[in-house]
Amino acid sequence: MTDDGPRPVKTTKASIALVRAVHDSDGATLSELADRLEMAKSTVHNHLHTLVDEGFLVRDGDTYHIGLQFLPFSEHARTRNPLYAPARRRVYALAEQTGNEADFIVEENGRAYSLEYAIGESSRGGLPESSPFRAGNRFHMHNCASGKAMLASMPESRVREIVDRWGLPGTTEHTITAESALFDELETIRDRGYATNDEELIDGYRSIGASVTSPDGDVIGAFSIGGPTYRMAVDEATTEEIAQLLSEEIDALEAGLF
Amino acid sequence: MTDDGPRPVKTTKASIALVRAVHDSDGATLSELADRLEMAKSTVHNHLHTLVDEGFLVRDGDTYHIGLQFLPFSEHARTRNPLYAPARRRVYALAEQTGNEADFIVEENGRAYSLEYAIGESSRGGLPESSPFRAGNRFHMHNCASGKAMLASMPESRVREIVDRWGLPGTTEHTITAESALFDELETIRDRGYATNDEELIDGYRSIGASVTSPDGDVIGAFSIGGPTYRMAVDEATTEEIAQLLSEEIDALEAGLF
DNA sequence: CACGCCCGTTCACACATTCCGAACGCTTAT
DNA sequence: ATAAGCGTTCGGAATGTGTGAACGGGCGTG
């Protein structure tokens, strides 16, 4: 499952587990963390102080939060991708044109990361910055439109690697959790040129995505457009229209790159 | 100097040092890192594999890079700040109005972090995303306009804490490196209501900053406007004009918050 | 074509370090 | 007044980290 290859450094893993726990609970106290991770309070104490000293956690009274020290590294990683700057602008353009949510997603280590996200003017009232696809979020490849679009453009061996590594966890009753079903779906996606996510990640959210590839066929990212089901019609005409829009933006982007 | 309080976790510190080294050298190989940090290759090997497994580093051939796993945490930390969303828009507005660079900076753990950055349309040709104040960067408080503006609004005891913890390293010949000079400067800033950075961080870069405070006087952030010296005039009229603009935006922001 | 260099990888060993649990001081609620 | 909860401190024990030497592969060079 989590085969590290050689010898995982357990102490580092413990520190990271603490950071993850703080992240997931959106702030936690020392005792909460010790209980949750089944570590001695004194051990947690030492780790937390070290992480605060390094700026990765911040202490506010007796609760710990994620620190801003992640920012320099994350911006470094994000902007290192040459696609980021051009894709960024297209995400904003797509959001405005469709009035829905748009994002740009890349794959790393078998997971999908949203590098940029925007929501169209007309829809901004509802949920301003709380979409699941907000920049910075991480997904499994098989349950979002962009992820499936990228999988469909990869060699089968790579797809199997990713599925073996991360599995196909289900989050709604529509999630594809069987490997054979996934491969069928990827075939369909290749045929029509775009992928859909019909309430496969969260209930009530639909999206359409398409991948960006380099001239030699390597996948380098994906765009998707989505929104709540009441705003994203399921009829084929609308879907095709959005897919067409995506396709145009992607062609333009690819043309400008090489 | 780096007093951790209780008992620092050395293994975690080692992992973090590796990440920092990868960040600073913008990609590094195992041997380079072992040399630079004077660690055994086998030790570095184990740490790197653990960090890759967790997604904080990525391996590309034989060189390691910063991984996208920092993104979810950094976005979490950034958006946890209630000022982020409203400040974000004002940064873009300020950039457009002045045609220069604008950013919003907050203090954490005695350091200044740029949460958002934008550059005005008219100046975008030159250096699009390469400014020192790009979102995500971290500074010392004493050598940027926003940092000094925040220091000036803090109780003296806090300023001393920060200076003791991080020192006053100089990066240009204009940097304030003496504690007494810094306190004089803070007095001046309090008198006129805004801070300046006249090539104190990097040569050829000037900026003007002012702090945002809560009704009870706590500093919660700062905005600044800056650019290369050839675009940022030194005459008092221009400076006052920019300070006035900052002041208006900050008043409007504070009014909307409480 | 073969040699040697440099890279990452593996392994067994020794000791430094982490981890633990119990005890302490503090604040808050009962 | 008392007790329960919190974070903190500390000594001791064993685990796990760090080390260095040896291995194997890839690449450029002689």
Side-chain angles (χ1 to χ4, degrees), chain B residues 148 168 175-188:
Chain B
K148 291 200 290 182
L168 297 173
T175 311
I176 297 176
T177 54
E179 199 165 321
S180 59
L182 178 64
F183 277 103
D184 289 349
E185 171 85 351
L186 296 186
E187 192 59 41
T188 313

Side-chain angles (χ1 to χ4, degrees), chain A residues 19 51-58 65-70 73, chain B residues 16 19-20 70:
Chain A
V19 171
L51 291 165
V52 167
D53 184 63
E54 296 284 345
F56 290 106
L57 292 180
V58 205
H65 290 281
I66 299 296
L68 287 173
Q69 188 54 46
F70 283 98
F73 296 108
Chain B
I16 294 174
V19 170
R20 289 223 146 87
F70 282 98

